[in-house]
Structure formats: structure tokens, C-alpha cells
Amino acid sequence: MQRHDVLVVGAGLAGQRAALEAVRAGLDVGMLSKLHPLRSHSAAAQGGINASLGPQDSVKDHVFDTVKGSDYLADQDAVEILCREAGPIVIEMEHFGTIFNRAADGSLDRRAFGGASYNRTIFSADRTGLALLQGLYEELSREKRLKVYEEWSALDLVVRGGRVQGVVALDRKSGNIDGFAARAVVIATGPFGRTYPNTTNSHASTGDGTALAYRAGAFLKDMEMVQFHPTCLPGSWILITEGARGEGGILRNGKGERFMSRYAPNKLELASRDVVSRAIATEVQEGRGFPDGTCRLELMHLGREKVETKLQEIVEFSRNFAGIDPVVEGIPVYPGQHYMMGGVSTNPRAETNISGLFAAGEAACVSVHGANRLGANSLLETLVYGKIAGTNAASSASKAPASDLSQADVDRAVQRVHAIWDRKQGEPPAVIRNDMQKAMREDVGIYRTPQQLEAARAKLVELQKRYLNVYVQDKSTTYNVNLTDALELGYLLDLAQAIVAAAILRTESRGAHVRLDFPKRDDANWLKHILVQSSPKGPALSFLPVTVTSYQPMERHY
Amino acid sequence: MAMVKVPIDVHRGSPGASGHFDHFVLDLDEHTPVLTALLKIRDEIDPTLTLRYSCRQAICGSCAMRVNGKSRLACVTQVGPELAKRGKIVLEPMGNQPLLRDLVVDQQPFWERYHRIEPYLLPDPAHPMPVGKENPMSPEQVSQFQETPRCIACASCFSACPALDSDPNFLGPMALAKLYRFVVDPRDGGFHRRLEMVQNQSLWLCLRCNLCVEACPKDVRPAERIVDLKWMANQELGKLEPGSKHSIGFAENIQEGGLLNERKLAMDSLGLVGALGQLPKAIAMMRHGRSIKKHPPIQGKEDLDVIYRELAGREDLQHRAFTREGGVRGKSPPSTSAVPTATAATSSAPESPPANRPVSKGPTEGGKA
């Protein structure tokens, strides 16, 4: 049994930032992750991080753009914190050693991004996530007091007496299952995009912490808001950064038209993501796509040097995964699942409804992104709210009684895992996963109908039943991916059901959630969050008002 | 889209248990990444096959393994070209790290070296961080980092490196490339200390075989960064260490007569006492017919002189032209990419002094105060 004041689950940008803050508050901190911290999905973020550091720009403009981008579902008090802390947190990352691109005068260079009034996206070529992850991990490496548990998968979040007591986890290398007693726990396990097959997310993006918090009684929020990124490579679903359009890339349909002029006459390719994704899907559906069912992202006119210096990774991805050279030809693109606006519901202090339990980053929902996240606001959120979660977890832990996590808690998790592991026959996790992903792709996509959503709901109930018979053929205790696959599938099934339940309930179209039977935004009835809580009968739904401070909802034009 | 039959041999088993290869044949498009093929095996044939993988887009660094004997990231290595090379695809775990099972190794030796270099900015008392704003850094200074920020810590270079076997002190290519990233960072206060650490520890253990350059999927070119470090170490610290003396002695030795004078080289590198210690080796060499005498100058020595003059005159190569008196001569910061990339192309700053410290401190000092 391990014992810490604060345990952070997940070691991407949000988790590391939380751990750094808690350890520098003088507490005994553990950080547990199923990947080595430098292998976290934060590394895959490409385009940049927003901070209103430009001469004309202001925090107020950043707040407004973010609220407008969210289709007015974001909580404006939380957005104000996000945008106010943006400058300081980016500068802090620079001081930690992050290598950013620079303007000629030596200041942090800024590029244009979707839905933003000014160039406010600080970047490091097209690997900003990697640059931040390296910079933060380097800073964290100073802290010899921090105990890092690499390649441990969380199995259980233990809550008793309304307070979190700790986590039970599996050491992937040895198969050992151990308890991690903690006075406060931060969930920062990132996204759950693997509910979809057409996702830009890494294979590890299975929502472990979000699902464990949900099972332990935490509310989820905004789960119906699933962002489809406009420009992905179909097939591999690898992301082509919005920075490509920020640098001047344009979209064309099969007829050679720059079609965004029909959908967003002012911002064109740099409208918000929901708008651009729907535009591409509509062009293809109405027969104006390329024969392969895509549109083209063109960078050729930018010139070889700009493309190869500022979009190096994109050039590599296109060559490696699509056999395309973006310097001389258009990149075939189609929208793919990219970001979950939803997650464990927190307030602007990163607190959940369970005392001692905090959440931050994509695993959480504050909500700063509402119904649609603006590009380059997610890296920002991981750092700002990761830090807030670390501060408040540290303060909560110092006031909390000692954890009562016991061997009985560990034994329960061991029994649950062995019930799956010792099964002699059943259905392979890959088969159930493929069926779940097919249902999510076909029926819970960019455009939604009640019939499709109901079909997905029924399918997921069936899959949940089949999951009770999931079969792990691999009996080894050493790095058993077959076993962790099966456990992660359980998390994904829970979260997929929460997504579908909320999507059925929201009878309006807002941001990323578009109902063909309710094509308009309905502020009179739906300017509110949907909360989802786990119950024996499945997802239980309730509401939470949206916090509006400065900006009353208006119609969106780009 | 050409579908081909792809025979794949995958290493299976744990240490202790007898390792073996399982044979699979898949129908795949020739552009299919090896990782996709492995996941297909896991999903459709044998779910007990284990490997590390996550992002499948060459950014998380999880899926490095040996593909037909070479250390590669499985997610960006396509089956077609590999098949053409060997008629099949043989997949083995990485080298220089103990096997856990199948294709998964224990990466502790790799990460331990990463942490050994103090992988964080060391404070520079003369230049504290500016309050409330960023350290200014010109695009030219950013280009000094060369390709090192692209490193994804996949350990392909570590797996491929033959020098790691010879000495546990050797940091290996990734950690040294990482060290380079700090040495050239104008925000870092550890220039001297870092160079001293590697000068004494492991810089000169690199064999310059370039296998790390070949293995790196992100074009970090670790061996070239190691050469850069050697150049900076020689300049900053003088040639105090046998490795650096050896490299300089070698260059002068050849310049003199065109052939290696091993007796003189041993003296140059190790000094009189050290060279005497090499006597048994020298005797053994002579016994095997290898001369350690001074050779007469080669024919066409004039051509060699031209080469040396040419090298000494080349701004971009000056850090490689060593002299006994001046340590390392040269003005331009390291820019050694054999194939100039766009980043390297912007880095030419012929008037800037060697190493990177003075460049960075000079024009930006006002901003830092």
C-alpha cells in the first residue's frame, strides 16, 4: 500500500501541472499514469496555445471569442479565469524552458487560429503539445520528492463517507495490484476519443479516470458535446492542425471551389471548428466532394519554405500516412472526432461533487469550452486548470483526515479484475470495441437524429451486456495489453452511454451538437448544462445553469 | 493501393523462457504501417501478443522496435519497403534494454540516463528570469537548438547504439542530444558545468558510427549533436581529456604525413606515462605485423594540404578544424546537418562567436535585465 497526501492520476500536461503545484506546496505527492509521462497524448497537440499577448489583443477579447466559440454554453466565470491566467502561464512555461517560435524582435511569435479576433496562438512549429510536455516534464524533474508511478493503470477510485480515499491500480509491467491512499485525488487522464473509430486520439485515450470518477458518483457534464476536427487524414484519422489554416491554408471541394465563403463569408477557413466541420461534411454529402469522399486542404501556395519550417510534422504525416506531399498537392481531409468538451464536472476551483476529488484537462469539464472548443484553448486549459487543481487539492489534503483506504479495497479490485481474467471463454474485447465504435461513428456523429441516437443507445445497452462476458485470452502478468484493453473497453462503454443519453435529451442544435429534428439553438429552454450521474438504471440526467457574466447569447456569425 | 501477402515473424516470450518467433501472414496494402499490422494480429489472430503503442503518429515514442534488424518506430515504418528488403518482416524488441515480454522492453536504462543529465534549466545568477515576461530569444537563437526539440524519446537511437555496451558511463545518443539542447539554451546557466560533466564522463565514448542518425525517426541526428558538444567542450574546457587530445592529435597526425603515426598519437592522447602503459598493446601490434613507426610522407601530400586548407577556410566546417594552439578555431555555431533542413538553413550566423553563450547574452541582455 502506497500513501500520499495528493495523488494525481494521469501525467499529461494537466496532471503534471497539478503535481508540480501540489509538490511545491510542500505536500507528499504521487503521480500515477498508464504511460510514461512523456508519452502522454498532450504531445499530440499541434497548433498552439492561446494567450492574449499581442499589442491590440486583450483578455476581454479572448473571453468573448471563447464564449462565442462555445455557442454560449461555456461558464463565463471559468472562461475569465482561463483567459486571465493565459499570459502568465505561457510565460511561466517559457521560463520552465519550453522552446517556442519567436518573432523577429525576440518575443513569442503568434499565429492566427480559428474563431480568434487576433493572432493570439503561441506555438512551437506544429508540435506545441510536445514542446510544452517536454518543458513541463523538465521542470517537474527537479522535484525529487515527487513519486512517479509509470505504467500503472487505475482500476478503482475509492470514495467513502462522501470523501475520496484513494485509488487502486495495476502495475502494467508486473501485474501487481496495489492501493494508493490519498487525502486528495486529481483526475487528469485526458480524453476518451476511442469511443469512436474515426478519432485523432491516441489508443490510450480511453477515459479511465473520467469513467472511474463517474462510477464513484461524480457528475459528468456536457457529454453530448463531441468535437469533430475539420481536417483529418481519412483512414488513419491523423490530425492536420488548424495551424495549417492559420498559416494561410485553404479548403477546396471537388469542383475547385473555395466553399467556406458560403458558410463563413468573413472568417472563411478560420471559422470555429463546428462550422468548418459541418461545411466539409455538407459539401461531400451534397455531391461536391472529391470522388474519395473528402475535400482538399491546400498549402501549395504558401511556398516550400513556410510549409516545411512551420508545418514540419504535417509534411511528415502527409507523406507517411497519406503518401501526399503538401508542398505540391492538396491534402485529402474529412472531419474526425478530436476533442471531448464533456468530462468530470468541476467548478472553477477544479472541485467535483465528491470532496477531495478534483479534475482537470480534457478528462474534466469546467466548462470553458461549452458546446465547441476553440483551437489552442485546450493546451491552455490543461495548464491553467491543472495548476488550479494542484493548488486546491493540496489545500484540501492538508485539511483532510487520513485516508482509510484498506487492503479490503485492494482485494475488491483484485477480485473484479480476476473475475474477467480467469474467465475461460467469452467474447474478445476487440469485437465488442469495434461494434461500439461503429455505432458511435454511424449514429452519434456530426449530424444527429433521434432515431440514430436511440439506435446507438440500444446498441450500447446490448454491448454492455456482452461486456459482462468479455474474454481475456492472455494470462500473463507481464505487460498484459489484452487485459488492460478489456478494462479500458469497460470505461469507454460507460462514457459512450453518457454521451448518447445527453445527446438524446438535448433537443436543440448548439455548437458541436446538431440535431436535424431541432436545427436551431434554443436559449429559452437549453441555455443549461446536462449533468450525467451513474445509476443502477443507467445514466441519470439533471441540469445545471450556465454562468453568464458579461456576454448575453447572440447569434453566431463568422 | 496494392495488396500484398506479408509474412511477419514476431519475437515472442519473456526472459528465462526460451524466446521464439511466431509466424503470421497478412494481406495488407503495401503502405500499411507495421504498427497497424501488429494491431491487426492482436485484434484478429492472437490477442496475447504484447507491445507498447499509443499515438500511432510518431509523437508519443511508444512503439520503437527492431524491424528487420533496424531500430524503427512501428507506426511510421511501412510494410512494402521492408518486404522488398528481406522478403519478410522480422520484428524484435529494442536493444540495450532488458526484455520484458514479446516486443516490450524495460526502458529504465534509457530513462535513468535521461535523468542523469539534469534535464532542466540550471539557474544563471547573472541573468535571472525577467519578471512577468518572456526571455527574448531571436529566431536565430531558436535555430541553435537544431533538431533536438523534435526528439520524442522513443529510444530508437539508444537501441541502435553499439557504444552503450562498452561503458555504463556512456549517456547514449538521446541523453547527449538532450544535453546539447540545454547547452545551447541562452536561458541555461550550466554551460560550463554540463560540458565538464560529459567531457569527463562519456562524450568521447561515441564511436561516430552514425547508427543513431539512421535510427532516429524525427531527424534529431544525435551523432551530429555529439560532435557539436565535443567541439564546444574542447573550446570551453581545453583539451584536458584523452578523448579530445586524441581527436586533435589524429587530425594533426594525418596533416603531417598523410598516414597515422600511432606512436605519436598515443603520446598526444595519453601523455608519456599513459603512452608507456600502452606498450604491451604496441608490442602485440608489432608482433601481428602492424608498424607503429613513423611513416614517410605519402605521395601527393600536396593534395592533402589542399584539403586541410580548404577545410580551414570553410566557415561552416570550422568547428571541425582543430589546432593545437587555439583549441578549436571557428566562428559559426554548429550547423552540421549533412542534408541542410529548413531549420538549419536559417541558422547561419557567420559573424556570431563560437558556442552559443555570447550570442545569446549579447544582444538580448537589455531584455533580460
Side-chain angles (χ1 to χ4, degrees):
Chain A
M1 183 90 78
Q2 312 297 320
R3 197 167 282 278
H4 296 285
D5 295 328
V6 176
L7 183 74
V8 180
V9 185
L13 285 172
Q16 287 189 37
R17 194 62 194 78
L20 182 68
E21 211 56 25
V23 80
R24 290 197 172 162
L27 274 79
D28 176 348
V29 182
M31 181 172 76
L32 176 151
S33 169
K34 66 179 177 180
L35 304 171
H36 184 280
L38 283 176
R39 312 218 183 285
S40 303
H41 188 53
S42 301
Q46 298 171 4
I49 177 165
N50 285 332
S52 54
L53 294 171
Q56 278 103 46
D57 207 352
S58 69
V59 169
K60 216 172 138 229
D61 287 320
H62 189 183
V63 172
F64 174 72
D65 289 342
T66 302
V67 170
K68 178 184 171 189
S70 81
D71 222 348
Y72 295 89
L73 190 66
D75 289 318
Q76 296 182 16
D77 53 345
V79 176
E80 283 162 13
I81 295 170
L82 180 81
C83 302
R84 197 175 61 225
E85 297 303 321
I89 209 116
V90 166
I91 285 166
E92 183 182 64
M93 287 306 298
E94 197 278 335
H95 289 184
F96 287 172
T98 305
I99 299 164
F100 289 112
N101 277 48
R102 300 294 179 137
D105 69 354
S107 64
L108 300 172
D109 201 4
R110 290 170 281 110
R111 64 164 45 131
F113 240 65
S117 310
Y118 300 98
N119 290 7
R120 72 164 65 100
T121 302
I122 320 290
F123 63 99
S124 180
D126 51 356
R127 47 171 184 274
T128 313
L130 180 67
L132 291 168
L133 194 65
Q134 287 173 346
L136 185 53
Y137 186 68
E138 286 159 18
E139 184 68 15
L140 200 57
S141 303
R142 291 177 199 279
E143 300 300 335
K144 309 297 178 213
R145 292 167 302 167
L146 175 71
K147 175 80 180 139
V148 184
Y149 302 92
E150 289 161 12
E151 301 194 316
W152 283 75
S153 283
L155 300 174
D156 253 332
L157 179 71
V158 180
V159 175
R160 231 185 329 268
R163 187 167 182 97
V164 74
Q165 306 296 338
V167 166
V168 183
L170 167 84
D171 180 2
R172 292 168 80 110
K173 290 203 272 289
S174 70
N176 283 341
I177 294 175
D178 203 356
F180 296 78
R183 296 167 198 260
V185 171
V186 179
I187 297 292
T189 51
F192 34 100
R194 285 281 154 183
T195 39
Y196 288 80
N198 50 332
T199 179
T200 63
N201 285 189
S202 67
H203 287 279
S205 301
T206 52
D208 305 20
T210 306
L212 291 177
Y214 177 57
R215 288 176 186 178
F219 285 113
L220 307 180
K221 185 165 63 194
D222 295 348
M223 290 297 282
E224 70 279 25
M225 300 304 176
V226 178
Q227 180 167 79
F228 285 78
H229 192 289
T231 57
C232 307
L233 294 175
S236 64
W237 299 104
I238 284 167
L239 171 72
I240 303 296
T241 174
E242 190 166 303
R245 282 170 286 141
E247 295 293 345
I250 59 174
L251 290 165
R252 285 193 200 280
N253 64 18
K255 300 167 116 180
E257 295 166 326
R258 194 174 174 186
F259 58 87
M260 279 311 298
S261 58
R262 285 201 287 276
Y263 302 87
N266 299 315
K267 297 293 283 185
L268 296 164
E269 282 83 1
L270 289 176
S272 67
R273 287 179 178 172
D274 56 331
V275 173
V276 184
S277 283
R278 278 195 292 277
I280 294 174
T282 304
E283 289 298 303
V284 172
Q285 270 171 24
E286 295 181 356
R288 293 187 297 278
F290 279 77
D292 60 357
T294 66
C295 290
R296 291 286 183 274
L297 172 63
E298 294 187 352
L299 306 175
M300 299 92 81
H301 57 288
L302 302 178
R304 178 176 294 273
E305 196 195 326
K306 186 167 184 181
V307 174
E308 287 188 346
T309 50
K310 286 192 162 170
L311 300 166
Q312 287 168 6
E313 300 285 332
I314 294 316
V315 172
E316 236 181 66
F317 292 151
S318 306
R319 288 175 184 162
N320 281 331
F321 297 103
I324 294 286
D325 185 352
V327 172
V328 296
E329 57 195 319
I331 308 170
V333 291
Y334 196 78
Q337 193 284 336
H338 178 57
Y339 188 86
M340 295 296 182
M341 271 72 78
V344 180
S345 178
T346 76
N347 62 17
R349 293 174 43 80
E351 291 164 334
T352 68
N353 58 312
I354 295 169
S355 99
L357 183 66
F358 299 78
E362 197 170 342
C365 174
V366 188
S367 124
V368 289
H369 309 305
N372 174 64
R373 174 177 70 80
L374 289 191
N377 266 354
S378 58
L379 286 177
L380 179 60
E381 186 203 2
T382 62
L383 296 172
V384 169
Y385 280 96
K387 183 176 181 176
I388 290 172
T391 305
N392 293 329
S395 117
S396 165
S398 16
K399 291 174 222 144
S403 156
D404 69 1
L405 193 79
S406 68
Q407 192 54 41
D409 295 311
V410 178
D411 293 343
R412 244 190 321 277
V414 170
Q415 278 160 21
R416 196 169 55 78
V417 169
H418 276 273
I420 297 173
W421 209 348
D422 300 341
R423 209 167 280 151
K424 299 280 188 292
Q425 55 183 2
E427 198 170 5
V431 175
I432 303 174
R433 185 199 64 216
N434 288 346
D435 284 359
M436 170 193 69
Q437 292 181 334
K438 183 166 177 279
M440 294 301 283
R441 177 180 187 165
E442 289 176 358
D443 295 332
V444 199
I446 297 176
Y447 293 110
R448 299 168 175 182
T449 66
Q451 297 78 13
Q452 287 177 305
L453 292 172
E454 280 300 339
R457 195 190 58 78
K459 186 74 190 176
L460 290 169
V461 169
E462 175 213 313
L463 292 172
Q464 193 72 274
K465 287 209 184 86
R466 280 163 55 188
Y467 179 72
L468 296 175
N469 193 33
V470 71
Y471 174 54
V472 176
Q473 191 181 324
D474 192 348
K475 303 302 178 194
S476 167
T477 52
T478 308
Y479 221 88
N480 189 333
V481 184
N482 194 200
L483 174 66
T484 45
D485 268 356
L487 297 169
E488 289 164 358
L489 176 61
Y491 305 142
L492 290 171
L493 283 168
D494 284 2
L495 297 171
Q497 284 173 302
I499 292 170
V500 172
I504 290 173
L505 186 62
R506 186 175 286 277
T507 49
E508 65 155 354
S509 291
R510 182 185 297 270
H513 175 70
V514 177
R515 286 278 297 254
L516 292 177
D517 50 337
F518 293 94
K520 291 257 183 285
R521 198 175 80 195
D522 176 3
D523 290 329
N525 294 302
W526 282 108
L527 193 61
K528 58 189 176 189
H529 302 287
I530 297 175
L531 296 177
V532 190
Q533 201 172 26
S534 176
S535 87
K537 290 184 199 154
L541 304 169
S542 54
F543 300 106
L544 187 72
V546 170
T547 307
V548 176
T549 56
S550 309
Y551 302 106
Q552 289 303 317
M554 295 187 300
E555 206 178 326
R556 287 198 306 166
H557 296 287
Y558 283 107
Chain B
M1 285 284 172
M3 295 297 279
V4 282
K5 281 228 176 301
V6 185
I8 305 179
D9 290 346
V10 187
H11 175 269
R12 303 299 304 272
S14 309
S18 56
H20 64 282
F21 285 87
D22 275 354
H23 185 68
F24 303 93
V25 181
L26 302 179
D27 289 311
L28 297 170
D29 176 78
E30 57 190 349
H31 298 298
T32 308
V34 167
L35 177 63
T36 307
L38 282 166
L39 296 184
K40 197 173 157 70
I41 292 172
R42 284 181 40 76
D43 277 2
E44 297 171 15
I45 306 171
D46 186 353
T48 69
L49 170 65
T50 192
L51 66 148
R52 269 196 190 91
Y53 63 100
S54 183
C55 77
R56 57 80 174 90
Q57 59 186 60
I59 203 75
C60 79
S62 296
C63 65
M65 58 185 66
R66 283 190 290 204
V67 181
N68 284 345
K70 307 272 190 183
S71 297
R72 294 282 181 266
L73 273 188
C75 66
V76 285
T77 306
Q78 296 177 356
V79 295
E82 291 301 324
L83 204 56
K85 272 184 224 161
R86 199 162 158 179
K88 62 176 176 177
I89 294 174
V90 180
L91 302 176
E92 296 166 276
M94 280 195 282
N96 289 323
Q97 297 150 94
L99 175 68
L100 282 176
R101 182 160 75 103
D102 292 355
L103 296 169
V104 180
V105 295
D106 178 1
Q107 300 212 269
Q108 201 271 338
F110 172 75
W111 293 118
E112 184 273 320
R113 282 170 174 83
Y114 172 94
H115 288 288
R116 219 195 279 168
I117 65 155
E118 299 180 296
Y120 38 82
L121 289 181
L122 293 170
D124 182 352
H127 300 94
M129 294 287 174
V131 177
K133 55 181 182 167
E134 72 268 28
N135 294 284
M137 199 188 290
S138 66
E140 288 70 35
Q141 286 175 325
V142 172
S143 72
Q144 304 275 304
F145 292 106
Q146 299 282 1
E147 296 84 356
T148 51
R150 304 189 65 177
C151 176
I152 56 172
C154 66
S156 292
C157 59
F158 192 86
S159 165
C161 179
L164 280 159
D165 247 358
S166 65
D167 193 324
N169 276 328
F170 186 46
L171 285 164
M174 184 272 188
L176 284 167
K178 187 83 185 167
L179 186 89
Y180 169 90
R181 167 253 171 281
F182 288 104
V183 166
V184 299
D185 195 321
R187 298 166 292 191
D188 188 65
F191 185 74
H192 188 89
R193 168 175 166 183
R194 290 183 190 282
L195 288 173
E196 204 167 47
M197 181 184 106
V198 285
Q199 178 81 316
N200 295 330
Q201 213 180 53
S202 77
L203 196 53
W204 300 92
L205 293 173
C206 167
L207 306 170
R208 299 191 62 177
C209 68
N210 256 24
L211 282 174
C212 56
V213 175
E214 197 222 358
C216 177
K218 305 303 278 187
D219 200 32
V220 172
R221 312 180 81 80
E224 294 177 8
R225 305 292 81 80
I226 294 173
V227 172
D228 295 338
L229 284 171
K230 285 176 173 174
W231 175 76
M232 288 187 276
N234 270 349
Q235 177 178 269
E236 175 73 8
L237 309 169
K239 23 187 210 317
L240 302 167
E241 197 271 349
S244 53
K245 288 179 190 167
H246 183 81
S247 71
I248 293 166
F250 207 105
E252 290 179 352
N253 206 304
I254 296 289
Q255 189 173 17
E256 254 167 49
L259 284 172
L260 204 55
N261 178 350
E262 306 214 31
R263 196 168 44 189
K264 183 163 183 299
L265 185 61
M267 291 279 282
D268 284 347
S269 306
L270 302 167
L272 180 61
V273 179
L276 284 175
Q278 297 292 307
L279 261 179
K281 207 181 280 177
I283 291 163
M285 279 169 70
M286 283 193 290
R287 199 174 288 152
H288 286 86
R290 200 159 153 197
S291 166
I292 59 162
K293 283 190 308 218
K294 188 177 175 183
H295 305 279
I298 56 163
Q299 279 194 345
K301 166 82 168 45
E302 318 78 63
D303 295 339
L304 188 67
D305 295 340
V306 172
I307 293 173
Y308 268 75
R309 266 203 305 279
E310 183 78 7
L311 283 174
R314 280 271 297 277
E315 291 270 329
D316 59 329
L317 289 176
Q318 283 210 349
H319 70 281
R320 287 181 177 168
F322 300 98
T323 65
R324 185 164 291 278
E325 291 73 33
V328 180
R329 284 185 293 127
K331 286 186 170 175
S332 67
S335 174
T336 57
S337 301
V339 185
T341 62
T343 343
T346 58
S347 75
S348 56
E351 290 316 309
S352 47
N356 308 283
R357 294 297 284 175
V359 191
S360 45
K361 292 302 181 197
T364 59
E365 225 157 30
K368 290 197 94 173

